[in-house]
Amino acid sequence: MELKASKYNFIVNEGADTIAFNAKNCALVKVNADFLSILENPNSEITAEQKILRENMYNAGFLIDEAVDELKVLEFKYWKSKFETDALTITIMPTDACNFACFYCFENKQQIRMTPEIVTATIDFVKKNLFGVKNLRVCWFGGEPLLAADIVWEISEALIEIAAANSCEYSAFIVTNGYLLDDEIISNLKKYKIETLQITVDGDKSAHDKRRCLKSGGATFDKILANVKKIVDNNLKIALRVNVDKSNAETIEPLIKRLSAEFGTNKNNVEISFGQILPIARTDEWDTSLCLSTAEYTHWTEIFKQIMMAEGFQIKNKYPFYPAPKLNFCGADQIKSFIIRPNGNIDKCWDCERIPVGDVKRGVAHNVQAEQNLSVWMLHSPFDDDECRNCKVLPICMGGCPYFAIERKSKLCLKWRYDIENIIRQKYLRHTQGR
């Protein structure tokens, strides 16, 4: 069998060490001269010991069969994953009302709340779409979903029963601002299997209270932090999101230090991620020049990572700290992923209401226009773009945000395009230092 080097290999030096990384499977290894020699001439005569190394390199994806076209294989896996039907992911917005007035919010809040008719239709829609599904994943979103907590509990109870009747694994997640959490709500989150919460804190107290205040103008930082502590104490999972732009980047360091002090030995029960604020939707209502470019976002997240490490936080193998193989970019890229809005409309993307693909009463692609809209999302492919096809980080980016490509006619690449070699070095150093 003739071999060749994978086109998705990266070779990076860190001091006297040489590191190899493969973007298809995110394998990372320290290598020697034999490895490099075999990589350059994989079919040359070698010793018995080197043959073992070559076999390991092949098994790890650094070497592949000469006849294999990696791009075609990657594209096949992309389309296969895009049309997989064994998991159903439903984002449900019981209301688009919110008690906060965040300046960068992309939503048109019309204070719509699901009617009893839409609640029933939502439950029926999920039930009808469970055929062949092994995993039902539910995300609660808004507005602020806890402003309609009664609807969250009602639909959750029904979906848990439906999943059980269909021998389907059930999991749920909620995106909330965290302000309304109390003991009763926390108890119900556990009762209705909503085990992970994403809550946003946008910098230190001063910065956060300016950016994420109540509609009345009231501060929210202290109450949110107290509620996050309650969540941690109740053994629920917290994904703490920090949205970053030019106006608050300098305030993230004191936030990380505050979180370190507040959570002490429990700090690794709080997963911190950093969101890049993007110029989406009503861009005439705020100064979008505050947005960081992806290169700037990359610069700041590297600084934040170093601060987190110094404070003893565990660095997760997740964006933006370390890549993972990516078959599709997001739910908009998958046939069995839908957003259900409070009026019953079904969309593919949180950020985009302009291209609905159906409604809960009539289903997905219920008429020619909805079918056309679904095709817009489902036929979008990074493999139609020459730059993506020739990019070495394609397996860990998959072309970037479909919304930007479809609505803005532009690419929004993931940060790996700008810093993958530095990420490789940092991951290697964390591993060698036991961090």
Side-chain angles (χ1 to χ4, degrees), residues 18 86 132 143 159 277 352 390 414:
T18 302
D86 61 353
L159 296 189
I277 293 180
C352 182
N390 292 300
L414 291 184

Side-chain angles (χ1 to χ4, degrees), residues 428-435:
Y428 174 71
L429 287 173
R430 291 202 304 275
H431 177 75
T432 56
Q433 296 166 4
R435 301 170 72 179

Side-chain angles (χ1 to χ4, degrees), residues 29-315:
V29 293
K30 178 184 175 182
V31 301
N32 57 20
D34 281 351
F35 181 103
L36 298 175
S37 177
I38 293 170
L39 200 63
E40 186 173 352
N41 297 292
N43 302 302
S44 61
E45 290 294 322
I46 54 177
T47 66
E49 187 176 335
Q50 289 171 327
K51 285 181 180 179
I52 295 173
L53 173 59
R54 183 170 63 184
E55 183 177 352
N56 290 336
M57 292 168 65
Y58 177 81
N59 291 335
F62 293 104
L63 295 176
I64 62 169
D65 295 353
E66 175 67 42
V68 169
D69 183 332
E70 287 182 285
L71 188 64
K72 284 189 179 297
V73 172
L74 194 63
E75 184 174 10
F76 168 73
K77 289 181 177 179
Y78 168 83
W79 288 106
K80 181 175 182 289
S81 175
K82 193 161 189 159
F83 288 94
E84 284 285 359
T85 58
D86 61 353
L88 176 63
T89 302
I90 303 289
T91 297
I92 304 174
M93 300 172 60
T95 179
D96 63 6
C98 189
N99 50 338
F100 276 30
C102 308
F103 76 86
Y104 53 75
C105 184
F106 58 82
E107 293 185 34
N108 290 298
K109 297 186 178 66
Q110 302 173 53
Q111 309 298 309
I112 297 174
R113 173 186 164 97
M114 277 189 171
T115 63
E117 182 182 19
I118 296 299
V119 168
T120 299
T122 296
I123 294 167
D124 289 343
F125 173 81
V126 175
K127 187 175 183 178
K128 290 173 185 175
N129 281 275
L130 271 188
F131 178 77
V133 169
K134 298 176 183 176
N135 295 283
L136 173 57
R137 304 164 183 157
V138 176
C139 173
W140 294 100
F141 191 63
E144 170 48 52
L146 293 178
L147 286 173
D150 56 325
I151 295 176
V152 175
W153 314 143
E154 180 182 354
I155 294 178
S156 293
E157 184 172 28
L159 296 189
I160 290 168
E161 290 178 2
I162 290 169
N166 286 271
S167 301
C168 182
E169 291 292 324
Y170 181 89
S171 60
F173 172 88
I174 189 167
V175 180
T176 170
N177 58 41
Y179 192 82
L180 297 174
L181 293 168
D182 58 25
D183 291 341
E184 181 181 358
I185 285 176
I186 290 171
S187 176
N188 277 326
L189 290 173
K190 297 167 86 171
K191 177 180 178 180
Y192 295 112
K193 298 187 177 182
I194 303 171
E195 297 175 347
T196 304
L197 297 84
Q198 178 180 295
I199 296 176
T200 298
V201 180
D202 270 5
D204 64 9
K205 176 176 168 57
S206 175
H208 174 94
D209 285 341
K210 289 176 183 175
R211 298 161 62 85
R212 296 184 64 80
C213 60
L214 295 171
K215 284 189 171 179
S216 64
T220 64
F221 182 89
D222 291 334
K223 186 168 184 178
I224 290 172
L225 200 57
N227 287 341
V228 170
K229 286 182 178 179
K230 286 183 182 180
I231 291 296
V232 172
D233 290 344
N234 277 271
N235 297 314
L236 292 168
K237 298 175 185 175
I238 280 283
L240 205 61
R241 181 178 175 90
V242 184
N243 291 319
V244 185
D245 62 27
K246 294 173 185 175
S247 68
N248 76 328
E250 299 282 357
T251 74
I252 306 304
E253 179 174 2
L255 169 65
I256 294 171
K257 291 182 175 179
R258 172 75 181 271
L259 294 173
S260 177
E262 292 281 354
F263 291 101
T265 56
N266 285 327
K267 69 181 65 173
N268 284 320
N269 294 332
V270 180
E271 182 180 309
I272 302 175
S273 66
F274 300 98
Q276 181 184 0
I277 293 180
L278 300 171
I280 289 174
R282 300 182 310 284
T283 54
D284 57 328
E285 295 184 13
W286 56 283
D287 182 6
T288 56
S289 67
L290 292 174
C291 294
L292 298 172
S293 68
T294 303
E296 291 170 326
Y297 170 77
T298 298
H299 165 77
W300 277 108
T301 52
E302 179 58 29
I303 292 173
F304 302 151
K305 180 175 67 179
Q306 296 301 326
I307 298 167
M308 287 175 64
M309 290 172 63
E311 290 296 320
F313 282 96
Q314 196 174 62
I315 304 301

